[in-house]
Amino acid sequence: MGAMIEVCGLHKQFRTPVVKEGRFAGIRTLFTRECRLKEAVKDISFTIQKGDFVGYIGPNGAGKSTTIKMLTGILHPSAGEVKINGVNPHKHRRRVAQKLGVVFGQRSQLWWDLPVKDSYDILAHMYRVAPAEKERRLAELGELLDLKEFWETPVRKLSLGQRMRADIAASLLHDPDVLFLDEPTIGLDVTAKRSIREFLKTLNGEFGKTILLTTHDMDDIEQLCRRVMVINHGELSYEGTIEHLRDKIGLPTVIRIVFRGSYRLPAQEGARMPLQLRLNGAEGEFRIIEASGSEVLIEANRQQAKAMDILRMVGGWGEIADIHMEEPDFEDIIHRVY
Amino acid sequence: MKHWFDLYAVLIRSSIQSRMQYRMNFVLGTLLASLIQIAEFLMIAIILNKFGAVKGWSLHEVGYLFAVMTLSKTLYRTFASDVHHLERYLTTGELDQLLTRPMPVLLALMSQNVRLMPAELLQGSAVLYWSLHGLMSAGQITWTAVPYTLLAIVAGAVILFAIGLATAAVGFWMTRINELQTLTEDASQTAARYPLVLYPSWLRSFLLVAIPVGFVNYVPSLFILRGEYGPWLILAVALLAACVLGLALTFWKFGLSRYQSTGS
């Protein structure tokens, strides 16, 4: 095991000229030397080991894309250094690009008007993949990703799921060490998402590829990543395992309970006061956030109270007709923490 | 080096294949371009016919200037296609994608959306043939003008490319460069279709020093058509082309390192 991606003290400032107001604003803006500095990324450092599967999450505009663009050599950092397998992508962009697979979910890297297979021929040329090697790899990828069904179809006629599979295969044709995936499941239906996730799992588990994934889909993160990094306002605010992140921020679950007939809430000293849960040795607390008609809304932290224990206690208040549990949205929670 | 040439060829071929998916569009585009070319030349021909020689330049000579500029421009725009359209790549963030590939960005840009320009090529060649033929019949030039002219066209294409590249590189700071391109490319090229002696001296210097389009057709023609200076003039033009290309490439590289990308 060695470090695959090393990032040290990474900064990125963007300069945008101050837009003038009033007469001739356009021309005056053109000649102004006044600039507004925006710090998109502030002093980020991390290391990703070979074979790691890391999720990179954070709200829009937090600096995710800027970081990825600096890692792939698209943007030059204002300060700090990046090393991909020991090589700096800003000094040796082409050498690093040769070893990288990059997939932008929003944009295809394939040739829009040509059949899928033509794109692979071009890419093989570009990445200097020998013909025999190309055939072998395409056979393998074709099987894993089911590419054969749309082999001859022009890319513009593919469905989103097909296009994404084709794009992922394209990024792997030259057998890169590292794969950067930017929103690979965006806009896909459940089945397509599942097949992409299965493939990524295989890729990481069996082929040992190092993968860095940015996504807004928390299921992606939970099912795939071993580690997560959270970025907010340009700063890395968390780095570690998902379990530890959960411990740190807790996982408030909302339980909606519908009673049949009348029920009796325990006496509460004030609205939203935590209720102590003491039952058969289980301890914890939860709170009632709303009670109207036959419905009661309960919020509990799963770290502090098990859902089963809560239900057992609530069962004593009346006859339960229906229960609905709302799983917490990971992203919401991350928002709430900052 | 061979690898880059091969790759460039592959990419250009794919680009043309993509365009051929829309055959009707290609045919219509070519027809329209032909019409525009014919109209443009007719306008010059009418003006010249009415006024006869301008400041000592005959109809054939002006036709020659016009043709060399057209052919150089066609060569430049065919082989460096999307350098002229960098603005689109900057505003949409499409440039990001080109940067993730293990090849020079410029080469990738040059081979994107390649457009064959048969109308321009045909019109330029026809006018050039007509001019050279007329001048040879009058005994003003001999067949040696042909290789010199071909050299001038290639050197001219390099100069136009360098100007286009430097203009595009400004886009790394300003993003919007359409207006600038109108000045440094379209307007300058149009102006240099006529003999520069027509213009006041400040404009002449502008077209020779600031935006050196005058070296594409006017300067070489002084020797090729009129025997002024000497054959070294053509060599000097070729040398100049190499120099401006070097400068433009340096500027381009510097600009690329300042690339800010777009938000996602």
Side-chain angles (χ1 to χ4, degrees), chain B residues 106-187:
Chain B
L106 185 55
L107 201 62
L109 207 57
M110 283 166 72
S111 53
Q112 294 256 334
N113 298 313
V114 171
R115 192 161 63 94
L116 292 177
M117 302 163 80
E120 288 83 348
L121 190 67
L122 217 64
Q123 190 248 39
S125 309
V127 176
L128 186 66
Y129 175 79
W130 172 77
S131 301
L132 287 177
H133 186 75
L135 290 164
M136 276 189 212
S137 308
Q140 190 180 335
I141 54 169
T142 62
W143 66 270
T144 48
V146 177
Y148 281 131
T149 302
L150 291 181
L151 189 62
I153 290 172
V154 174
V158 172
I159 292 173
L160 292 182
F161 171 57
I163 295 171
L165 187 62
T167 310
V170 173
F172 289 118
W173 287 271
M174 308 219 322
T175 308
R176 298 274 176 196
I177 46 172
N178 265 345
E179 304 305 321
L180 190 64
Q181 282 175 329
T182 307
L183 176 72
T184 61
E185 300 206 63
D186 307 331

Side-chain angles (χ1 to χ4, degrees), chain A residues 271-332:
Chain A
R272 313 214 63 193
M273 278 295 285
L275 289 169
Q276 293 305 316
L277 177 75
R278 270 196 199 83
L279 198 82
N280 307 336
E283 271 188 45
E285 56 177 48
F286 61 96
R287 64 190 80 191
I288 298 169
I289 41 179
E290 214 185 298
S292 58
S294 57
E295 253 185 39
V296 176
L297 229 55
I298 287 172
E299 188 188 70
N301 191 331
R302 274 203 268 168
Q303 244 64 50
Q304 289 163 0
K306 288 212 178 64
M308 270 319 289
D309 293 333
I310 296 172
L311 287 181
R312 235 175 270 149
M313 185 163 161
V314 172
W317 300 348
E319 192 188 343
I320 297 174
D322 197 11
I323 300 165
H324 182 79
M325 299 252 260
E326 278 161 31
E327 283 306 309
D329 185 355
F330 220 60
E331 183 135 330
D332 270 357

